[in-house]
Amino acid sequence: MHLRSHRGFLWTLFTPKLFLEKALWSFVTGFVGEVPVFLAKPQTYMNLSGESTGPLAAYYKLPLNQVLVFHDDMNLPCGVLRLHDKGGHGSHKGLKSVIYNFRGNREFPRLRIGIGSPPGQMDPKAFLLQKFNVTARQRIDEALQEGIDALKLLLSKGLTESAKRFNKEQKYKHLRVQNLPVS
């Protein structure tokens, strides 16, 4: 599970290892500070992840503004994160599936993790199925930890304040990271 398209899955490695299996997802519950959280990992193919997230949100009657979708993004440099309150799918098939299974609703927060873009004329599908090299893997691991920090900030300060603060920090990281080699 070290492929570029599996970055959202790796986020769960930083959480407790108690996973209860459901038909289409694995999840863990716990607390961040005093706030209860529910982390779920789709058990579907990435491009069909909405088939698990949509029913999960419906089953637990979760308002979509309280569902944070964590996904990879080839439009961001490797290891750079962005926190947004809503948006489209940007040609991301898994996110397109989520939006479809949220009945077309795009009004849910998401945390994007940059995986970089394919070099030269490389096919994006082939790029997504590649393993990370050591440098890229270190960036991703650091970004996953920063994602946990973003979640803590989100739960304590709310989405608007968190996104403003967090994205500003990531903006400067973006300027530093874009000049570092990932090969």
Side-chain angles (χ1 to χ4, degrees):
M1 185 157 20
H2 297 285
L3 304 178
R4 293 179 190 277
S5 62
H6 294 157
R7 291 309 99 202
F9 278 11
L10 287 185
W11 197 35
T12 60
L13 296 178
F14 287 94
T15 62
K17 299 292 185 207
L18 174 67
F19 285 99
L20 303 174
E21 294 296 324
K22 291 286 184 182
L24 298 174
W25 58 83
S26 292
F27 67 91
V28 61
T29 59
F31 290 86
V32 174
E34 295 184 21
V35 179
V37 294
F38 180 94
L39 298 173
K41 177 175 81 168
Q43 296 297 298
T44 58
Y45 289 108
M46 284 294 184
N47 290 348
L48 303 175
S49 53
E51 291 180 6
S52 60
T53 54
L56 182 69
Y59 180 81
Y60 287 100
K61 297 177 177 63
L62 300 172
L64 295 185
N65 67 347
Q66 293 183 13
V67 174
L68 177 66
V69 174
F70 186 68
H71 67 90
D72 60 283
D73 193 326
M74 286 195 306
N75 295 319
L76 287 174
C78 184
V80 172
L81 298 165
R82 289 285 189 274
L83 180 60
H84 292 286
D85 61 343
K86 60 184 175 187
H89 57 76
S91 299
H92 189 288
K93 291 179 182 177
L95 199 51
K96 185 176 184 179
S97 173
V98 170
I99 292 169
Y100 177 81
N101 284 277
F102 283 169
R103 298 191 171 140
N105 191 332
R106 299 167 185 243
E107 307 278 323
F108 58 91
R110 65 268 328 259
L111 182 59
R112 301 163 41 211
I113 182 169
I115 59 170
S117 56
Q121 299 295 316
M122 183 179 204
D123 177 22
K125 291 176 188 172
F127 179 73
L128 285 171
L129 295 175
Q130 275 187 337
K131 291 184 178 185
F132 286 102
N133 63 34
V134 173
T135 303
R137 178 63 194 204
Q138 288 172 337
R139 287 187 195 168
I140 293 297
D141 289 345
E142 290 169 9
L144 293 171
Q145 186 59 53
E146 290 169 358
I148 293 170
D149 296 339
L151 176 61
K152 290 176 182 176
L153 187 63
L154 174 71
L155 293 171
S156 66
K157 300 290 184 187
L159 182 61
T160 304
E161 176 65 24
S162 300
K164 184 177 172 182
R165 228 190 263 184
F166 184 74
N167 291 338
K168 183 178 180 181
E169 291 171 13
Q170 290 294 308
K171 177 180 178 183
Y172 296 113
K173 177 183 176 185
H174 167 80
L175 295 174
R176 290 188 310 270
V177 168
Q178 72 182 2
N179 295 319
L180 298 174
V182 289
S183 298

